[in-house]
Amino acid sequence: MCRLFAFVAPDHSAARRELGRDGMESLLSLARLHGDGWGWAGVREPGQPPAAHRSARSAIGDAAFEQAVDAECRAAIVHLRWATAGLPVNDRNAHPFLADGIAFAHNGSIKPLDQLRSLLSPESVASLTGTTDSEMYFALIREKVAEGLSLHEATTRVASLLRELFPLASLNALLLDDEELIVVHASATSILTEHDLSRLAPLADVLPSEHNEDYFALRWREGDDGTISIGSTGVAGSGWTPLPAESVTAIRLADRATSTLELAAEHALHA
């Protein structure tokens, strides 16, 4: 499980600027638990492919993380990793993954892995560089894009299929290409395991007070200048609005126009 933050701005901005001092303090406090790696991806101008940086190190005290959150761009995503039990902590498993001009970050766990892997084409299996369910999820979306679907529709179809097959999985994700930010908010039936809760308990005093309240929720807000920000619980503060449940929202980088598709079984059945 992980924490997510993203923004799309009308002009150049940076993650630190959009989070503000309190938001950055919350993000770094979350890194005490979500310390199995960090990642950043950003688009400097619409039409340019995203650049990405990721590391298996904790964001706390990492100079590269400090540089990333200060990077000037029109849109960016930030990911703090809390590795699923049993999955290695290394650079190859850190998010965001970057392939085919798309950056992808996931908050959740899709099990069993063998069942998820069986959905991939042999070519996609061969392309995997790490061992995470998240990278497999991303590969499925890229398969649909390769078939000619838009990134928004491809993501919706894959999320719909995975919701049918893995009803308790959190599919929350952020995708960024040269034209849009895609936000998957699909975790209505997901809960933290007893193992996860036991890891949370010792850090109760240093995590944001709302961190455990609806852990998988994603919220958004629009700033006075039109910047749209997305945040996980503990990152999103007061005044943020919940994203529609079981949905996939696209935010266009050029003008921040939004459109939302609901997950639906028929999308998966006719994929």
Side-chain angles (χ1 to χ4, degrees):
M1 273 65 70
C2 311
R3 297 291 81 182
L4 302 171
F5 174 73
F7 72 86
V8 179
D11 202 349
H12 289 163
S13 190
R16 188 192 304 275
R17 187 176 308 143
E18 296 305 325
L19 282 163
R21 186 179 66 180
D22 291 345
M24 276 301 302
E25 288 179 355
S26 292
L27 191 70
L28 290 173
S29 70
L30 290 165
R32 296 177 182 273
L33 174 66
H34 306 80
D36 296 326
W38 64 269
W40 172 95
V43 169
R44 184 164 178 81
E45 298 289 352
Q48 297 180 357
H53 304 282
R54 57 180 182 161
S55 171
R57 298 181 60 184
S58 169
I60 298 174
D62 190 338
F65 174 78
E66 297 294 329
Q67 292 176 353
V69 296
D70 283 330
E72 295 284 331
C73 52
R74 288 283 297 277
I77 62 179
V78 178
H79 182 273
L80 298 179
R81 185 180 182 217
W82 178 12
T84 299
L87 292 180
V89 175
N90 55 42
D91 287 349
R92 292 180 299 172
N93 285 346
H95 306 214
F97 303 95
L98 181 65
D100 302 331
I102 307 167
F104 173 89
H106 173 218
N107 170 27
S109 178
I110 308 172
K111 295 181 179 180
L113 282 176
D114 288 346
Q115 182 182 358
L116 179 59
R117 187 182 291 107
S118 72
L119 302 175
L120 295 171
S121 69
E123 294 77 14
S124 289
V125 172
S127 75
L128 298 175
T129 60
T131 57
T132 66
D133 52 305
S134 302
E135 189 180 7
M136 297 177 199
Y137 179 7
F138 182 33
L140 282 171
I141 294 172
R142 299 199 328 273
E143 286 185 15
K144 293 301 179 187
V145 171
E147 292 174 6
L149 295 179
S150 70
L151 183 57
H152 193 188
E153 181 64 22
T155 303
T156 304
R157 290 203 181 186
V158 169
S160 296
L161 173 63
L162 296 181
R163 171 54 70 240
E164 291 293 305
L165 297 175
F166 305 93
L168 299 182
S170 169
L171 306 175
N172 288 354
L174 299 172
L175 297 94
L176 181 65
D177 70 2
D178 62 338
E179 295 183 347
E180 56 192 354
L181 171 72
I182 305 292
V183 185
V184 183
H185 187 209
S187 53
T189 57
S190 306
I191 59 173
L192 291 171
T193 66
E194 290 297 325
H195 174 71
D196 296 331
L197 292 170
S198 70
R199 294 173 65 186
L200 282 169
L203 295 172
D205 292 338
V206 296
L207 296 174
S209 58
E210 71 277 12
H211 176 263
N212 293 3
E213 299 173 9
D214 199 1
Y215 176 85
F216 291 104
L218 285 176
R219 298 178 174 87
W220 60 346
R221 68 175 178 186
E222 182 173 353
D224 293 339
D225 66 349
T227 296
I228 297 176
S229 299
I230 311 290
S232 296
T233 308
V235 180
S238 60
W240 295 55
T241 302
L243 279 150
E246 301 300 293
S247 70
V248 182
T249 297
I251 305 168
R252 201 159 57 199
L253 305 190
D255 57 8
R256 300 171 315 287
T258 66
S259 60
T260 299
L261 297 173
E262 295 182 356
L263 300 196
E266 58 265 30
H267 288 148
L269 294 173
H270 294 92

